[in-house]
Amino acid sequence: MASQYDVIVLGSGPGGYVAAIRCAQLGLKTAIVERENLGGICLNWGCIPTKALLRSAEIFHYMQNAGDYGLKAQGIEADLDAVVKRSRGVAKQLNQGIGHLMKKNKITVHMGEGTLTSPTALTVKGDKGEEKLTARNVIVATGARARDLPFAPADGKRIWTYRHAMTPSQMPDKLLVVGSGAIGIEFASFYNDMGADVTVVEMLDRVVPVEDHEVSAFLEKSLTKQGMTIMTGASVESLEVGAKGVTATIKGKDGKVQKTEFSHVISAIGIVPNTENIGLEKTGAKMDRGFIQIDPYGRTAAKGLWAIGDCTPGPWLAHKASHEGVSAAEAIAQEMGNTDVHPHALNRNNIPGCTYCHPQIASVGMTEAKAKEAGYTVKVGNFPFIGNGKAIALGEAEGFIKTVFDAKTGELLGAHMIGAEVTELIQGYTVGKTLETTEAELGQTVFPHPTLSEMMHESVLSAYGKALHI
């Protein structure tokens, strides 16, 4: 006899578990199916444990530079095993927290491999054998995994994905990072701060290529100053794994080919959606390059089947997945007769992006170049960290904040930051964009002193020739 639900969520990452909670809050009988760890990749092998690693590296960096703050510290050493142990402990704590939330919201958890048999039914193979589940609605939230280099799949020993890089068996002496997106740059930053000799190879003409060109240029200069080797417009042609390392054949932007020895390689060239072998071919859902196609609320082409998160078109971010989960849950509740809920479509222009390297990067909305391509006449403001008292007091005077406005209407089109704690500042601009704020409201807002947030105000003023501290 199949277990019956109003909603079954396949996958318990930041999209899936949030969708399940919102469904339960709306009075829907809800189940979640997970094959590995509650919390998915984000909580167990992605967003959270990597930030724990980066925090350890950040503190290690400060300790090594204690003299800059009038302090003395000697015999500073890093214990990689202890750093990794702390990171795994943080992940375990949050994993247990998700289990608590499932119980609190009376969500039934089925641990095992879920396979769709129709848009609204699936089987789960786990320790208890095979279970059959049916529901009025199914939300697919199966996420994605790291993309392997086609000529050199990760072996976990010398060639790593992000998952291997989080639990290294040894500290790399000389590390090659292939790809300079958020994942690649974060691991490059972590291992560089921990003492590895790091080289980053990026096929495109600049690092973090989705960011504003000024941010990319500033980051490359900063990483180079920190001792990294940055190769843009370059490609890794082959990798030969030996007993003691990896020989990489790299083609530079000048077309010249060189062979270089590395102890380890991290592949950070993108993701592959987890949409194979889950029965989607039996549902009628439409696919594009492996990603499930959805409407703004998460509906697929198959009635009763929904999809959210990294198995759908990007951006592939945890907070985007969570937001989609809420939208889908509320749309389902509305379809099932709840007239008190008002689902909201996701506006991709208002999704912030964060990269937790050193210095940090954060952005929302259009870059200057994209705004001009879209036909806008723009006003651009730029304010440096060196002009902010709090940044100087913190010893973090590296970076800037850039804002882009529509010159005709004053609409905030985009904001781009690089520097200390900008990942905590970007939400101010994100709220502003969601409220359709113009430069007038931002310019008239009172920002507290002394704070880093004052730079946000100054950047807005700068766009209109009113900056006060530069």
Side-chain angles (χ1 to χ4, degrees):
M1 189 74 179
S3 298
Q4 297 182 332
Y5 298 94
D6 292 319
V7 181
I8 298 171
V9 183
L10 182 58
S12 71
Y17 85 75
V18 167
I21 290 172
R22 187 66 184 124
C23 285
Q25 287 175 343
L26 292 167
L28 304 178
K29 184 181 179 183
T30 306
I32 199 161
V33 176
E34 173 56 53
R35 67 181 181 183
E36 190 175 9
N37 304 115
L38 289 174
I41 292 297
C42 177
L43 268 67
N44 294 281
W45 295 101
C47 315
I48 301 301
T50 55
K51 303 311 163 284
L53 293 175
L54 285 160
R55 177 61 170 167
S56 293
E58 180 183 36
I59 292 175
F60 185 48
H61 170 78
Y62 285 136
M63 292 171 71
Q64 290 176 308
N65 294 276
D68 294 345
Y69 300 88
L71 306 173
K72 292 183 179 180
Q74 296 178 338
I76 305 302
E77 294 181 359
D79 183 340
L80 184 61
D81 290 341
V83 168
V84 171
K85 182 179 180 181
R86 175 180 180 272
S87 171
R88 300 317 307 155
V90 170
K92 182 179 180 181
Q93 179 180 343
L94 288 170
N95 167 263
Q96 292 171 341
I98 300 302
H100 168 73
L101 289 172
M102 297 299 100
K103 291 179 181 179
K104 175 185 175 183
N105 289 281
K106 298 180 173 57
I107 297 164
T108 304
V109 177
H110 296 269
M111 294 302 297
E113 194 87 25
T115 305
L116 293 161
T117 55
S118 79
T120 55
L122 49 82
T123 59
V124 181
K125 293 181 180 179
D127 294 339
K128 300 178 181 178
E130 184 174 293
E131 298 178 275
K132 293 183 179 180
L133 311 179
T134 62
R136 295 175 66 179
N137 298 274
V138 171
I139 301 175
V140 179
T142 48
R145 63 188 183 278
R147 183 183 297 277
D148 269 322
L149 291 164
F151 50 80
D155 59 12
K157 296 178 181 178
R158 294 291 174 182
I159 303 177
W160 296 343
T161 63
Y162 61 83
R163 192 155 176 164
H164 305 121
M166 271 188 283
T167 55
S169 57
Q170 64 184 111
M171 180 69 187
D173 297 318
K174 192 173 182 182
L175 175 67
L176 171 62
V177 178
V178 186
S180 74
I183 292 174
I185 286 296
E186 286 183 6
F187 277 114
S189 192
F190 168 73
Y191 280 108
N192 184 71
D193 278 347
M194 294 294 286
D197 181 350
V198 178
T199 295
V200 177
V201 172
E202 169 58 55
M203 289 188 66
L204 298 179
D205 62 355
R206 56 192 178 93
V207 295
V208 288
V210 301
E211 302 293 345
D212 186 87
H213 68 281
E214 288 188 74
V215 170
S216 293
F218 193 99
L219 180 65
E220 181 172 346
K221 184 177 179 181
S222 177
L223 297 181
T224 301
K225 184 179 178 181
Q226 292 173 40
M228 291 190 209
T229 299
I230 307 295
M231 301 178 68
T232 56
S235 60
V236 177
E237 302 292 294
S238 67
L239 296 174
E240 298 175 26
V241 179
K244 296 183 179 181
V246 182
T247 302
T249 301
I250 302 173
K251 186 177 182 180
K253 65 171 63 176
D254 58 3
K256 293 181 180 179
V257 176
Q258 65 183 57
K259 288 193 174 184
T260 307
E261 298 291 327
F262 296 92
S263 64
H264 298 82
V265 177
I266 295 177
S267 173
I269 59 170
I271 63 167
V272 179
N274 293 323
T275 53
E276 322 99 309
N277 306 316
I278 62 170
L280 282 168
E281 67 280 359
K282 301 173 185 176
T283 66
K286 292 183 179 179
M287 312 292 291
D288 182 14
R289 292 172 293 177
F291 294 97
I292 305 170
Q293 299 304 290
I294 57 174
D295 78 356
Y297 297 91
R299 295 182 183 87
T300 72
K303 183 172 177 56
L305 185 68
W306 306 69
I308 60 174
D310 286 2
C311 63
T312 68
W316 300 291
L317 301 166
H319 43 281
K320 174 256 195 183
S322 295
H323 202 86
E324 285 181 321
V326 172
S327 295
E330 293 179 351
I332 288 170
Q334 187 180 64
E335 283 192 2
M336 294 182 66
N338 188 331
T339 58
D340 294 326
V341 67
H342 304 285
H344 53 287
L346 177 67
N347 184 345
R348 282 175 162 75
N349 292 324
N350 294 343
I351 301 173
C354 299
T355 304
Y356 297 82
C357 49
H358 180 216
Q360 293 181 4
I361 296 171
S363 60
V364 66
M366 295 182 183
T367 63
E368 180 182 357
K370 289 292 184 182
K372 289 177 178 177
E373 286 176 19
Y376 288 99
T377 300
V378 299
K379 283 186 176 291
V380 177
N382 203 313
F383 192 83
F385 269 56
I386 194 65
N388 177 262
K390 179 70 177 291
I392 295 171
L394 290 174
E396 298 285 1
E398 179 187 34
F400 65 86
I401 293 179
K402 178 177 180 177
T403 45
V404 182
F405 294 91
D406 180 354
K408 295 180 180 178
T409 65
E411 177 189 358
L412 175 65
L413 300 176
H416 310 276
M417 310 175 172
I418 183 167
E421 300 304 327
V422 295
T423 57
E424 297 293 341
L425 297 178
I426 192 62
Q427 194 57 24
Y429 285 133
T430 304
V431 171
K433 277 188 59 58
T434 301
L435 295 175
E436 300 181 349
T437 298
T438 70
E439 57 84 19
E441 288 82 23
L442 289 169
Q444 293 164 14
T445 298
V446 179
F447 285 75
H449 174 80
T451 64
L452 297 176
S453 70
E454 290 175 277
M455 291 183 288
M456 300 167 64
H457 190 218
E458 290 278 12
S459 180
V460 173
L461 297 177
S462 172
Y464 290 83
K466 303 176 184 177
L468 300 169
H469 291 91
I470 191 172

